[in-house]
């Protein structure tokens, strides 16, 4: 099989780990990575070529693949959520680099 890779970095100043999710536009396959904020970098390896949506959110659930939407009573904020502004084209044998996700 022919695969590609994606490398990036997360800028985040809070205490939670960050989940980065890569979703195929064509097949809706999802890949998840938990980013340890001491290193703040991530890499997706062995990704099928195609167009992908990249997003990320704070890890506030036991299952990192589920986004935490908060609760009203007692009030708890939803996890912060970022969608990368452009779709990403993964190509076979290529490493896409320089992706940065910035939380303010």
């Amino acid at each position: 099989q022919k695969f590609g890779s994606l490398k990036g970095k997360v800028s985040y100043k809070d205490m939670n780990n960050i989940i980065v999710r890569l979703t195929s536009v064509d097949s809706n396959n999802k890949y998840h990575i938990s980013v340890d904020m001491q290193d703040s970098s991530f890499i997706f390896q062995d990704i099928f070529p195609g167009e992908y949506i990249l997003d990320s959110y704070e890890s506030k659930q036991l299952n990192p693949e589920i986004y935490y939407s908060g609760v009203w009573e007692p009030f708890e904020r939803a996890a912060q959520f970022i969608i990368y502004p452009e779709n990403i084209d993964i190509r076979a044998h290529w490493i896409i680099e320089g992706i940065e996700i910035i939380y303010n």
Side-chain angles (χ1 to χ4, degrees):
Q1 289 287 342
K2 298 178 181 177
F3 299 104
S5 300
L6 172 71
K7 286 183 175 181
K9 191 170 197 138
V10 176
S11 295
Y12 176 73
K13 296 177 183 166
D14 213 336
M15 305 270 296
N16 298 310
N17 282 348
I18 297 292
I19 304 299
V20 179
R21 178 173 58 191
L22 193 60
T23 306
S24 171
V25 170
D26 297 325
S27 67
N28 207 30
N29 286 342
K30 292 179 173 48
Y31 304 89
H32 296 81
I33 290 182
S34 179
V35 179
D36 179 358
M37 293 316 300
Q38 290 182 355
D39 179 23
S40 76
S41 63
F42 61 89
I43 183 167
F44 289 96
Q45 296 180 334
D46 298 332
I47 304 298
F48 286 106
E51 191 171 350
Y52 288 83
I53 297 169
L54 182 71
D55 58 29
S56 70
Y57 49 89
E58 294 174 304
S59 179
K60 290 186 166 187
Q61 290 274 39
L62 293 177
N63 182 348
E65 295 182 9
I66 298 175
Y67 170 74
Y68 181 71
S69 59
V71 293
W72 285 107
E73 292 286 329
F75 182 75
E76 290 182 30
R77 288 187 184 274
Q80 289 187 65
F81 188 89
I82 300 284
I83 299 174
Y84 194 74
E86 304 167 10
N87 286 358
I88 297 173
D89 186 20
I90 302 289
R91 297 180 181 190
H93 307 295
W94 283 41
I95 300 173
I96 307 297
E97 296 183 277
I99 301 296
E100 189 169 1
I101 299 170
I102 301 171
Y103 285 83
N104 293 332

